[in-house]
Amino acid sequence: MAGRARRDRARGLAEDAVRRRSLLDGGIAAVALGGAGLLSGSLTATFGRDRKAVTAAPGRTAEPAPTAGLGTTGAKPSVAASAVPVGGSAQVKDPSSGDAVYIVQPTAGQYCAFSAICTHSGCTVDAPRDGKLTCPCHGSRFDAATGAVVTGPATKPLPKYAVTRSGDRLELGDRQA
Ligand code: FES
């Protein structure tokens, strides 16, 4: 703009005309800068608001994980696989009934789970030993690999649950029978 005023003076324009033109040019520049600032502020506010909405939404993350829906265990009980040795067990609770459940590994790499509630009269059976779950009340014994009755008086097997392995975790699934 200073260069333009210099050229105008060189062309012999009156000083008043040069000053008016400079003021006019400055005003246009100010309006243009103000408009750009408003636009920039508006865009920042818009995108800033959207980002806040994503991060604040319950159950969502700003950057969705590629395994969304798989990596979360939700309310399902789980244990570390290392907590269930071959022939051993870990106890969890059925989230719907609150009953004790044993997650067992009767043979290497084979995981399953059984209700710990004896089908005879509802006592809690002991953790598996030597491949059997024994009820302390009347002596019923159940197979730790299938839940089947080995010795009565119980006549029905222990209810079974699905178990899924996810990395180092064993997750209790639905009750099957
Ligand atoms: Fe288990 Fe009777 S309650 S054997």
Side-chain angles (χ1 to χ4, degrees), residues 48-68:
R49 198 177 316 121
D50 286 351
R51 177 174 282 263
K52 281 180 197 157
V54 168
T55 55
R60 293 191 56 188
T61 57
E63 301 293 330
T67 55

Side-chain angles (χ1 to χ4, degrees), residues 56-158:
R60 293 191 56 188
T61 57
E63 301 293 330
T67 55
L70 295 176
T72 56
T73 55
K76 292 185 175 178
S78 67
V79 295
S82 59
V84 185
V86 176
S89 66
Q91 189 173 325
V92 294
K93 280 190 176 181
D94 179 327
S96 60
S97 67
D99 290 343
V101 175
Y102 289 117
I103 295 179
V104 299
Q105 184 183 188
T107 59
Q110 178 203 356
Y111 296 97
C112 47
F114 300 101
S115 169
I117 307 305
C118 180
T119 55
H120 177 236
S121 288
C123 290
T124 300
V125 300
D126 294 333
R129 240 175 74 181
D130 300 326
K132 310 287 184 292
L133 298 122
T134 302
C135 180
C137 291
H138 310 103
S140 289
R141 298 172 75 212
F142 302 88
D143 188 299
T146 64
V149 176
V150 175
T151 306
T155 57
K156 293 181 182 173
L158 294 174

